[in-house]
Amino acid sequence: MRWLAVGSVALLLAAWGAWAQQEQKDQPPDTGLKVGDSVPAYNPIHVAGPDKGTNTCPV
């Protein structure tokens, strides 16, 4: 009878843990740009080639 009680508690804890993980998956991460945010400018710095060490426009 003791193994039945221990098994039931273990199963209950495993189900509770899976349920708790599922709640976290449903929520989108709270990082990065949000819809409607302005995108900051990107200024590349060349690390090789004739423009090495500058941030001239590559186009």
Side-chain angles (χ1 to χ4, degrees), residues 38-53:
S38 62
V39 179
Y42 176 71
N43 295 317
I45 298 177
H46 300 280
V47 295
D51 295 325
K52 182 178 181 180

Side-chain angles (χ1 to χ4, degrees), residues 9-27:
V9 169
L11 184 61
L12 178 67
L13 288 175
W16 178 73
W19 175 75
Q21 290 295 326
Q22 184 64 30
E23 277 192 4
Q24 291 176 357
K25 287 182 184 178
D26 291 341
Q27 298 173 353

